[in-house]
Structure formats: structure tokens, C-alpha cells
Amino acid sequence: MKLIVGLGNPGAKYEDTRHNIGFRVIDELSKTFNIPLKQEKFKGVFGFETINGEKVFLLKPLTYMNLSGESVRPVMDFYKISIDDVVVIYDDLDIPPGKIRLRQKGGHGGHNGIKSLLAHLGTENFKRIRIGVGRPESGVAVANYVLGGFRADERQEVEEAVTQAVKACESWLSQDFLKVMNTFN
């Protein structure tokens, strides 16, 4: 079994914000794999389907970003999904808009959603697809920046990054994550 988690905040207010880029990737994967996100349980919305003989789960935690681990851990426990079979998709301030970076493990880098996952999963050894949102201009608070929308001149690059993240997830279903990293980094 594989679990693909996209981090974000629930509700229309946050829909097109930088912090919700993980949700956007999950929405695209839902269309690509024809996996409806209709089940609400474990403080999240999810769906699953068997792809190439393996069950694939898509999850959007509805706990708000800072409590994401409260949704991911129960899904993993209930379905007995190994940490080796989890990938988390989220926004990253240290990567320029339109770029993605894949990692097999790591710290939180100041990201509160990842802090929550580290606390609830008890390990930093989970796969990540980080999507660049860039840093705010001087004087703009980080919270306001990540909860704001993309500028018009960033939108095409961001859509490309979402497409690349979807392709990376597709590749991971049939290839080792290290090979996927080598392809997409």
C-alpha cells in the first residue's frame, strides 16, 4: 500500500494559497488516477484505488496545516501502512516558485505541518516532495505570505511544478523513490 499526503488548510478561504499546494497536487492526482476523495474519516478526506496491483491512498488532512499529523498517523495505523510507503507533498519557502525537490527524509525546516508529522510519526524518515513557493519580500510576514495567493507572474511556473509533482508520484508507484529523486531533482 502507498499513501500520498498533500498538506494544506481546509476551506475556500485557503484554496488557492501557497500553503495549499499539497492539496492541489492531491486534487490533480485524484483526476489522474480516477480516485474520488469522498471518504471523510481520520480528520481528513481521502480515497483509494488499486493501481498496478497495489492499493494507493490519497489524503488531504482537514486538521489545518499545523495539526497534519493528527490525520496522517491514524490512517497509517488503521490501514497498516509502513512509513516507507508514505510520501508527503508540501510548500517550501526555500525553493523558488515552480521548482520541486524530492527527499527521502529530513527535518522540518520551520514548516509547522512537517513539525506535526515528525511529532506524530516519531521519525523524520518519510519521503517528501517539496514544492517551491519562494520567500516573501522584506517586511511581509511569513504567515501572511504562505496564506496568500500566487502572483500572476508565478502561476504558470507553479502549475508546471504541480504537474511535475504529479508525474513524480506516478513514477513512485512503479519505481524506487531514489530513482524518482534522480529523475525529478
Side-chain angles (χ1 to χ4, degrees):
M1 284 187 265
K2 302 268 192 208
L3 172 61
I4 303 172
V5 180
L7 300 187
N9 287 312
K13 175 181 176 182
Y14 300 106
E15 198 168 294
D16 290 322
T17 64
R18 289 176 179 88
H19 233 12
N20 272 36
I21 198 82
F23 276 16
R24 288 184 55 201
V25 173
I26 294 297
D27 290 340
E28 288 303 313
L29 285 167
S30 173
K31 293 176 198 168
T32 300
F33 296 147
N34 195 27
I35 300 176
L37 302 173
K38 291 186 175 180
Q39 297 191 51
E40 282 197 47
K41 195 174 178 182
F42 309 112
K43 298 183 181 180
V45 61
F46 68 100
F48 59 89
E49 189 59 64
T50 300
I51 300 173
N52 300 329
E54 184 165 38
K55 195 175 277 188
V56 177
F57 290 80
L58 302 178
L59 170 66
K60 291 171 32 175
L62 299 179
T63 56
Y64 290 93
M65 180 67 77
N66 297 355
L67 303 173
S68 297
E70 293 180 9
S71 175
V72 176
R73 175 88 260 171
V75 171
M76 290 175 64
D77 290 346
F78 186 83
Y79 290 104
K80 298 179 180 21
I81 299 170
S82 165
I83 195 70
D84 296 331
D85 294 320
V86 175
V87 68
V88 179
I89 306 160
Y90 61 98
D91 59 297
D92 193 306
L93 292 167
D94 294 322
I95 301 172
K99 304 289 183 198
I100 69 170
R101 296 285 180 270
L102 284 67
R103 294 181 68 186
Q104 293 199 64
K105 62 180 180 176
H108 57 74
H111 195 287
N112 289 329
I114 298 303
K115 282 181 187 177
S116 176
L117 286 171
L118 293 173
H120 285 84
L121 301 181
T123 182
E124 64 179 29
N125 296 325
F126 54 90
K127 296 162 185 65
R128 301 124 190 266
I129 299 176
R130 302 177 304 150
I131 301 179
V133 296
R135 285 239 165 233
E137 294 177 11
S138 179
V140 177
V142 169
N144 291 339
Y145 181 74
V146 297
L147 295 177
F150 290 99
R151 296 187 319 259
D153 64 318
E154 296 172 324
R155 288 199 179 106
Q156 183 176 348
E157 294 170 325
V158 169
E159 289 307 315
E160 196 169 300
V162 168
T163 298
Q164 288 301 305
V166 167
K167 288 178 181 177
C169 289
E170 286 180 286
S171 295
W172 179 54
L173 298 182
S174 62
Q175 299 176 31
D176 182 72
F177 196 74
L178 186 58
K179 185 172 184 179
V180 178
M181 285 175 59
N182 290 335
T183 301
F184 289 90
N185 278 340

